[in-house]
């Protein structure tokens, strides 16, 4: 990103995908089920357009207003399309997303917990890169390196979580992890323009610890609650809901951040068009300030962004604390120790670490 077009980050996936395709063609044994149904294009269209409309409506709402016809139309369409998806999936013999799995109490509540963790984590991580780059002045590489403390917390949690689960049960582990995430959010909300990176590294490390303690036991607990022959379907549904939670988290919390930033940004003396440009993001405000030679606008942009970041982190902390209480109240206790673990556990834990 320091040297090439921003879209080049997606091109990195091309050789990796080529290697993966080659590995699938030449190394994987054939496991096709002759009885498997064809791809359900209608359900796929419902899912893609419904979730797309939902995310787009949430993103556009702060700028256009929640009563704007486009926003209301998108949100209404999202409700109808997702409802149509659920109805269709409940009627077909071999559904793409098997909603009947949610009838398993252990799977349902652990999936909800994992989705909430993903929602919260996206909010915590969404606000950091602009803060590190625009406010603290680091380039793209330095920003990426400064996000690594979360991995330190995650590595500790990956060692600690199995011991906590074995000693106290998955419910206690998930609840404790969410409490740690809540603490990280509340601590992060105290960040100021002058806090510096050391304080950020502290609450980022705590974030990784809470993430690992809550997500991995929730995913394992959810899949372990299913019969072995349903573990594959359960894994697909759980991962889908997690990704949806992350997408909605970015859209909703990003909209909250954008609104708080615009409300606090001082654009006195700027023309209407220039003021609108500055209000798009802290990076845009810095570019406008640089062209105008306005140190006051740059300082206002930093202050406004840190305020918006604090609001998002506070909301994430509250959401994590409420989720911890719900997990403690509704997650099932430790499952039967003799019940075999679902076969996708290792893959799911690896995905969580990513």
């Amino acid at each position: 990103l320091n040297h090439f077009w921003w879209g080049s980050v997606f091109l990195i996936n091309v050789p990796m995908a080529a290697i993966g395709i080659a590995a699938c063609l030449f190394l994987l044994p054939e496991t096709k089920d002759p009885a498997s149904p064809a791809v359900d294009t209608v359900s796929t269209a419902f899912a893609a357009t419904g979730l797309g409309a939902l995310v787009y409506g949430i993103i556009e709402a702060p700028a256009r207003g929640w009563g704007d016809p486009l926003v209301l139309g998108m949100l209404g369409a999202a409700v109808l399309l997702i409802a149509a998806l659920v109805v269709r999936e409940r009627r077909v013999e071999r559904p793409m997303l098997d909603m009947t799995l949610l009838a398993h109490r252990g799977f349902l509540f652990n999936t909800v917990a994992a989705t909430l963790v993903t929602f919260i984590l996206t909010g915590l991580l969404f606000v950091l890169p602009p803060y590190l780059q625009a406010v603290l002045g680091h380039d793209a590489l330095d920003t990426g390196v400064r996000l690594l403390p979360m991995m330190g917390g995650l590595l500790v949690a990956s060692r600690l979580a199995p011991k906590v689960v074995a000693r106290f049960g998955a419910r206690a582990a998930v609840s404790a992890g969410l409490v740690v995430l809540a603490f990280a959010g509340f601590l992060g909300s105290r960040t100021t323009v002058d806090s510096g990176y050391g304080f950020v590294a502290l609450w980022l490390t705590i974030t990784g610890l809470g993430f690992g303690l809550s997500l991995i036991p929730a995913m394992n607990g959810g899949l372990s609650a299913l019969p072995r022959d349903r573990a594959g379907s359960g894994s697909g549904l759980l991962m889908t809901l997690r990704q949806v939670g992350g997408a909605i988290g970015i859209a909703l919390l990003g909209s909250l951040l954008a609104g708080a930033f615009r409300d606090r940004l001082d654009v006195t003396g700027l023309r209407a068009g220039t003021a609108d440009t500055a209000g798009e993001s802290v990076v845009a405000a810095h570019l406008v300030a640089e062209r105008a030679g306005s140190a006051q606008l740059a300082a206002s942009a930093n202050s406004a962004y840190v305020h918006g970041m604090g609001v998002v982190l506070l909301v994430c902390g509250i959401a994590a604390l409420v989720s911890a209480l719900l997990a403690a109240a509704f997650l099932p206790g430790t499952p039967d120790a003799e019940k075999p673990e679902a076969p996708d556990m290792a893959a799911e834990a690896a995905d969580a670490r990513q």
Side-chain angles (χ1 to χ4, degrees):
L1 289 177
N2 288 341
H3 304 287
F4 300 100
W5 166 60
W6 68 268
S8 61
V9 297
F10 298 103
L11 299 180
I12 296 173
N13 295 325
V14 174
M16 302 304 294
I19 293 172
I21 291 171
C24 290
L25 291 175
F26 297 109
L27 300 179
L28 287 182
E30 179 58 65
T31 57
K32 183 177 180 180
D33 180 5
S36 63
V39 175
D40 189 346
T41 55
V42 176
S43 292
T44 302
F46 281 160
T49 54
L51 295 175
L54 177 62
V55 171
Y56 183 80
I58 294 173
I59 290 174
E60 289 295 313
R64 294 176 174 269
W66 289 95
D68 181 80
L70 176 63
V71 172
L72 292 176
M74 284 293 174
L75 296 179
V79 172
L80 293 176
L81 289 166
I82 293 173
L85 171 67
V86 172
V87 170
R88 180 177 176 82
E89 292 296 281
R90 290 177 66 87
R91 291 180 176 178
V92 298
E93 183 179 354
R94 299 284 296 271
M96 182 177 67
L97 295 175
D98 191 352
M99 301 296 180
T100 62
L101 295 176
L102 298 177
H104 294 264
R105 181 173 178 270
F107 179 77
L108 171 63
F109 288 114
N110 277 290
T111 298
V112 170
T115 302
L116 289 172
V117 170
T118 304
F119 174 92
I120 294 162
L121 185 71
T122 55
L124 288 168
L125 292 181
F126 179 77
V127 298
L128 264 181
Y131 172 78
L132 293 172
Q133 289 187 268
V135 178
L136 297 188
H138 300 293
D139 63 17
L141 177 61
D142 288 341
T143 295
V145 170
R146 281 166 174 77
L147 293 174
L148 289 177
M150 192 186 80
M151 294 305 300
L154 184 56
L155 289 173
V156 172
S158 67
R159 299 282 186 174
L160 185 61
K163 298 179 181 178
V164 175
V165 172
R167 180 74 179 273
F168 303 104
R171 177 168 54 192
V174 174
S175 301
L178 285 164
V179 169
V180 173
L181 269 180
F183 177 71
F186 292 141
L187 189 64
S189 69
R190 307 298 298 174
T191 305
T192 67
V193 174
D194 301 318
S195 292
Y197 174 68
F199 183 69
V200 172
L202 172 63
W203 63 261
L204 192 56
T205 303
I206 297 172
T207 298
L209 182 63
F211 176 50
L213 276 177
S214 55
L215 182 64
I216 296 174
M219 294 173 68
N220 287 352
L223 296 180
S224 296
L226 298 176
R228 289 186 64 88
D229 62 341
R230 308 297 297 279
S233 298
S235 175
L237 181 58
L238 191 154
M239 293 302 298
T240 298
L241 293 176
R242 272 192 59 207
Q243 297 301 325
V244 170
I248 293 176
I250 291 175
L252 191 60
L253 297 172
S255 295
L256 178 63
L257 172 64
F261 173 75
R262 279 194 292 266
D263 289 343
R264 281 294 184 100
L265 183 65
D266 184 3
V267 292
T268 303
L270 297 179
R271 292 180 308 214
T274 305
D276 290 340
T277 300
E280 291 178 357
S281 69
V282 63
V283 174
H286 272 275
L287 291 175
V288 172
E290 184 179 351
R291 287 198 298 266
S294 175
Q296 179 181 356
L297 177 59
S300 176
N302 289 344
S303 177
Y305 186 82
V306 171
H307 165 72
M309 183 175 78
V311 171
V312 169
L313 293 176
L314 185 61
V315 169
C316 287
I318 294 171
L321 191 58
V322 172
S323 300
L325 295 175
L326 293 175
F330 294 108
L331 283 185
T334 305
D336 187 352
E338 296 181 358
K339 184 174 182 177
E341 188 177 30
D344 287 345
M345 295 298 102
E348 298 298 342
D351 177 77
R353 291 188 183 94
Q354 292 175 6

